[in-house]
Amino acid sequence: MDCSYYAAGRCRSCTLLEIGYPQQLVSKQAVARDAVGPTAWEEPFRSAEAGFRNKAKMVVAGTVEAPSLGILDGAGLGVDLVGCPLHEAPVAAALPVLRELVTRARLTPYSVPERRGELKHVLVTASPAGELMVRFVLRSTEALPRLRKHLPWLRERLPHAVVVSANLLPQHAALTEGREEVPLTENQLLTMRMNDVDLLLRPGGFFQTNSAVAAGLYRTAAAWVDDAAPGSVTDLYCGVGGFALHLARPGREVVGVETSAEAVDGARLAARRRGSTARFEVGDATAAGDLGADLVVVNPPRRGIGALAPRLEASAARLVLYSSCNPSTLARDLAAMPSLRPVRAQLFDMFPQNHHAEVLVLLERSGV
């Protein structure tokens, strides 16, 4: 992948950019093998080398007349990365328009060194169909009237921006967004169609960064689970229901558990629209009471499943499907579940040009 920002030394976020993509996969596969150990490994699921990110998290800096959307340098000043080649085409096309909106709507960029200003971040997510969710992270409500005034202009320039909202982050903190969301469009659901399953994403909800690879991850999970033919599935850390809705089948009981009530609401709506019998509950995945399903799915954040691992080890679950974005915590968690042995594994390269990758592992209880 060619990147003028990297070549000029303006951004070095892509730490593996100087390493050829085939060698990146070899290195990531080696790390994944060290974490999981010997098992039946499938070939890595490759990504496009550029244009794969379905979301942009852009720090806003500079001035009203000359705003930047990108990152901050060591002095806390803005580095404009509107032309970053990692983004999907709909996101890349939206960023120059959003930068122009900053000037048109007189949205004062937040200055980290001076701790003043209003607009902190612009967050953009694209669906596989090319629709957009656009979010403005503001310090206060002061700029909301100007945002609403210029919303018709924005939607004329970006007709596929079907979800627009403002997020309030008043404190000076190293956070991307705050807790309060102000809808600016009536619709606040972005449809992320994965394979034949419509997943519904709300502002602030989590979704995999690479749509094409995420679709492959869900297809593979469904195929492995169908081969194993469990009668019941519990999906922990279920989010908007990606795994649960892909695994649901007639005669198979599927329950998803997630701490975010908003994500659970979206998953329930998606299930109703699909006519799926999958059920979703709000709860702490690490403290889930019922681990008696034939198969338990875990898709935790980078910190892994921690205290849940010994509970799974002691449970009646015959199978565990673990989707991990951190080989270190994956290795730790597998060591805490010695009776659950890896029988299938595959690397899914969600993040070309850096060290991160997703690893899917199917575990089966020994002696069953």
Side-chain angles (χ1 to χ4, degrees):
M1 182 185 79
D2 293 326
C3 178
S4 61
Y5 301 115
Y6 187 93
R10 292 174 59 79
C11 175
R12 291 301 177 101
S13 298
C14 292
T15 55
L16 301 183
L17 190 60
E18 297 181 39
I19 300 174
Y21 188 55
Q23 184 57 44
Q24 291 183 31
L25 288 177
V26 169
S27 298
K28 291 182 182 184
Q29 181 82 333
V31 172
R33 285 179 180 273
D34 286 344
V36 176
T39 188
W41 280 91
E42 302 190 15
E43 286 296 311
F45 194 102
R46 300 170 64 101
S47 170
E49 295 181 42
F52 59 84
R53 281 189 64 94
N54 60 23
K55 65 183 69 172
K57 297 181 179 181
M58 312 300 277
V59 179
V60 183
T63 66
V64 169
E65 298 299 338
S68 66
L69 271 61
I71 60 176
L72 298 178
D73 64 15
L77 304 178
V79 178
D80 191 81
L81 300 177
V82 163
C84 174
L86 295 182
H87 297 132
E88 287 185 0
V91 176
L95 292 178
V97 177
L98 294 167
R99 184 173 57 187
E100 183 179 349
L101 178 70
V102 174
T103 302
R104 282 180 167 267
R106 313 303 293 177
L107 303 174
T108 307
Y110 184 72
S111 170
V112 171
E114 298 174 321
R115 299 194 177 193
R116 65 180 183 183
E118 282 297 318
L119 181 59
K120 294 186 170 184
H121 301 98
V122 169
L123 312 177
V124 186
T125 302
S127 75
E131 294 182 330
L132 297 174
M133 175 187 291
V134 178
R135 304 170 66 212
F136 300 92
V137 181
L138 302 169
R139 189 181 185 187
S140 73
T141 60
E142 184 272 335
L144 285 178
R146 298 194 300 283
L147 261 179
R148 291 192 174 101
K149 176 183 176 181
H150 288 85
L151 186 59
W153 177 89
L154 176 64
R155 301 194 73 182
E156 181 181 351
R157 294 291 302 275
L158 298 178
H160 298 303
V162 298
V163 178
V164 184
S165 67
N167 178 273
L168 301 182
L169 178 60
Q171 64 266 45
H172 179 85
L175 299 171
T176 302
E177 60 191 78
R179 295 182 178 180
E180 183 178 354
E181 200 80 20
V182 181
L184 299 177
T185 53
E186 182 177 358
N187 178 34
Q188 290 288 289
L189 286 172
L190 184 68
T191 300
M192 306 292 289
R193 188 167 183 80
M194 297 280 104
N195 307 305
D196 66 338
V197 178
D198 286 344
L199 304 175
L200 303 177
L201 182 64
R202 295 183 186 275
F206 170 78
F207 201 85
Q208 298 283 8
T209 299
N210 190 321
S211 293
V213 177
L217 175 71
Y218 293 137
R219 287 196 304 273
T220 299
W224 290 4
V225 171
D226 284 346
D227 287 346
S232 57
V233 173
T234 297
D235 180 9
L236 303 179
Y237 312 91
C238 71
V240 296
F243 282 105
L245 291 170
H246 276 84
L247 302 184
R249 299 286 186 273
R252 179 185 295 163
E253 182 183 7
V254 176
V255 178
V257 180
E258 167 61 43
T259 58
S260 167
E262 292 80 5
V264 168
D265 285 345
R268 288 171 175 167
L269 178 57
R272 288 197 298 271
R273 290 182 178 180
R274 185 172 172 78
S276 172
T277 58
R279 297 184 291 108
F280 297 92
E281 301 173 356
V282 178
D284 181 358
T286 61
D290 183 11
L291 297 178
D294 293 341
L295 181 144
V296 176
V297 180
V298 290
N299 181 28
R302 290 188 59 78
R303 64 178 178 271
I305 62 174
L308 178 60
R311 295 186 61 227
L312 284 171
E313 170 67 14
S315 75
R318 176 172 62 91
L319 300 157
V320 171
L321 186 67
Y322 195 137
S323 185
S324 168
C325 62
N326 187 341
S328 296
T329 55
L330 172 62
R332 179 205 66 199
D333 292 340
L334 295 183
M337 300 184 289
S339 72
L340 288 159
R341 308 301 299 170
V343 293
R344 300 178 84 163
Q346 187 172 6
L347 174 79
F348 290 81
D349 194 20
M350 295 275 184
F351 315 100
Q353 319 307 341
N354 68 50
H355 290 89
H356 299 301
E358 194 87 6
V359 183
L360 187 68
V361 186
L362 181 65
L363 309 169
E364 185 174 37
R365 195 171 298 278
S366 58
V368 175

